[in-house]
Amino acid sequence: MNRIRCDRTPAWSQLQTAFESTGCAFDVRSAFAADPARFEAFSQSAPHVFADLSKNRIDTATEALLLDLAQQTGLAAHRDAMFAGEAINNTEQRAVMHWLLRTPPLDPAMPAQSVHRHMAETLHEVHTTRDAMLVFAEKVRADDAITDVVNIGIGGSDLGPQMAVLALDEFVLPGKRFHFVSNVDGHELNAVLRKIKPENTLFLVASKTFTTIETMTNAQSAKSWFEARGGTDIARHFAALTSNVAAARAFGISTTFGFWDWVGGRYSVWSAIGLPLAIAIGAQGFKEFLAGAHAMDEHFRSAPLAHNLPVRLGLLDVWYRNFHGFSSRSVAPYHSALKRYPAYLQQLEMESNGKRVDVTGAALPYGTSPVIWGEPGTNGQHAYFQMLHQGSDVVPVEFVAVKTPRHDLPGHHTLLLANVLAQAQALLLGKVDAGGHKHFTGNRPSTFLLLDELSPASLGALIALQEHRVFVSGSVWGLNSFDQWGVELGKVLAKDVEARLISGNPQGLDGSTAGLLARLAPGLQPCPHPQTPSLGSASA
Ligand code: F6P
């Protein structure tokens, strides 16, 4: 499909003019004073998520222009192409169908059902594969001898399941502990191995490609540790979650759960990569997680663009990045269990949209992915919120709060909510002080996402919302949001440097790397189980 570059559309020029005339001086406080209905106009209900966008530097005229931009860049057609299973990941010639993983079975009585009929067979395969995985999850849950589940994986094979298991801690089966090993730094695996016993442990080796060097090294070391302690039943204590089942078998793991090349690594928590979550919260909980996400898929697919939450958020991201020039967004989940949510969003957004070329490989003259960063509130308030309130850069903040907690400690939740509301209010209102040091400029934008509760369903919806909003900005920017070539070069260079650390050979190196090498090498141990990553090969 032909995608028109956003900066060549009439809407882009109009947005430029609007920004220069009124947008750059837009004061949200005056907008509230002028329009008593502003909160209603800039709030949006979506499945499981209520969003208040009213504290942003936006008015209805600007939002209308942004919607024109979406229309002129063909956002709806691009979205529909994704849902039709077209190979929109053009550099890898792959469809993008993580959403199919959360689509319920087809109902023959409903001919107009949203999923395309030609995908019925694939959908059937999805359900059969998931059913097998959920049966396994229930078996592990019922197995009292398995007390520790160790997920070995990195990137999307770590961040999604780890974030979700932590987030849904209140739903996790008592008596099972979950560990996540991602870093090739042996300290991480070692710290887990110290706490577990082979006979009580299930290792899940999670890797879409089954070639990622960190994961393969950790998996091999875990297997050696298991065998050195007398472990023999690999089939019971190791399972592989991968789309490269042949490589998992060659590695010696016979218990495997597969998925498909049309599931990107950072979109894979809904697939077999979600097995740790399924074990943690059970088959029913996992289905609710998928159902929440599916409800958001349907919203994204069918709500008019003007009332479509992922669309409104993604367009706001474009407005901030390309017209206001804001280069980062801070995420502030006011729920301590969402501690890995910022890290999860970093991969989702920056690996998807951190690109300076369009789908054809042509360089783009405008900014793309913002930097995503943050910590749960209220902790962030006592660290970097100083900069958010009084720093020289304006950083839009995206709060997440939950109406009903799952604890009954008196007063805590009231205090937590008071803080999140107060922070958003302080960013907006500011405070006049002649002294300078105590002056707050205010008019600092924020978005407020509100969930009724943090549950499997609402978490699924929240994550799907974020996936789709990243799709929206990436689509307007003309990117392929589904490849990640930028991570490949470092992987290949590491292989060369590894050999030099052992040999000490600095020949041909740049001066800095050679200088550092001289302080570290030779004499380091080679990895006993080498892997060979190659640029442009199997990608996640
Ligand atoms: O870092 C690049 C990347 O390919 C991510 O996209 C992916 O989530 C991660 O590595 C892990 O890949 P795999 O699941 O194949 O081990």
Side-chain angles (χ1 to χ4, degrees), residues 139-178:
K139 214 173 94 193
V140 175
R141 283 166 68 83
D143 186 342
D144 291 339
I146 299 294
T147 54
D148 292 86
V149 177
V150 181
N151 190 77
I152 297 178
I154 197 163
S157 299
D158 165 67
L159 290 163
Q162 184 179 178
M163 176 274 296
V165 168
L166 288 169
L168 298 175
D169 183 54
E170 289 289 331
F171 298 79
V172 171
L173 184 69
K176 300 256 189 261
R177 285 183 294 268
F178 292 83

Side-chain angles (χ1 to χ4, degrees), residues 154-157 207-209 212 265-266 347 351 484 487 491 540:
I154 197 163
S157 299
S207 175
K208 180 179 173 186
T209 57
T212 303
R266 52 195 174 274
Q347 186 197 22
E351 201 173 73
Q484 56 282 321
V487 300
K491 290 187 195 172

Side-chain angles (χ1 to χ4, degrees), residues 108-323:
M110 292 178 64
Q113 212 171 23
S114 54
V115 73
H116 299 261
R117 294 259 152 212
H118 69 273
M119 287 178 198
E121 212 172 294
T122 315
L123 183 61
H124 180 69
E125 213 184 306
V126 162
H127 285 275
T128 314
T129 311
R130 185 196 313 139
D131 289 348
M133 170 185 123
L134 293 181
V135 166
F136 180 79
E138 287 298 330
K139 214 173 94 193
V140 175
R141 283 166 68 83
D143 186 342
D144 291 339
I146 299 294
T147 54
D148 292 86
V149 177
V150 181
N151 190 77
I152 297 178
I154 197 163
S157 299
D158 165 67
L159 290 163
Q162 184 179 178
M163 176 274 296
V165 168
L166 288 169
L168 298 175
D169 183 54
E170 289 289 331
F171 298 79
V172 171
L173 184 69
K176 300 256 189 261
R177 285 183 294 268
F178 292 83
H179 313 269
F180 290 85
V181 176
S182 53
N183 203 317
V184 76
D185 180 354
H187 291 110
E188 192 169 64
L189 177 61
N190 212 35
V192 172
L193 294 180
R194 268 205 307 266
K195 293 183 205 144
I196 58 175
K197 292 188 187 138
E199 62 274 22
N200 302 128
T201 301
L202 171 66
F203 289 99
L204 301 175
V205 183
S207 175
K208 180 179 173 186
T209 57
F210 227 78
T211 59
T212 303
I213 199 149
E214 291 92 334
T215 302
M216 293 302 98
T217 304
N218 281 324
Q220 190 62 60
S221 296
K223 194 159 157 255
S224 304
W225 173 88
F226 177 79
E227 287 168 340
R229 276 152 191 76
T232 50
D233 197 350
I234 299 281
R236 172 167 159 74
H237 291 279
F238 282 79
L241 323 175
T242 184
S243 61
N244 189 356
V245 169
R249 295 236 161 90
F251 181 89
I253 300 181
S254 56
T255 309
T256 60
F257 297 95
F259 57 105
W260 302 266
D261 70 356
W262 43 259
V263 184
R266 52 195 174 274
Y267 299 88
S268 64
V269 66
W270 323 100
S271 72
I273 295 293
L275 180 58
L277 179 64
I279 297 172
I281 65 172
Q284 183 52 33
F286 193 75
K287 285 181 186 167
E288 288 166 17
F289 176 64
L290 299 179
H294 175 69
M296 190 59 77
D297 292 340
E298 290 299 295
H299 170 77
F300 180 47
R301 188 158 33 187
S302 58
L305 298 192
H307 301 288
N308 189 311
L309 184 54
V311 172
R312 294 182 84 178
L313 287 176
L315 292 177
L316 186 61
D317 295 340
V318 172
W319 174 238
Y320 281 161
R321 182 73 182 100
N322 302 116
F323 298 91

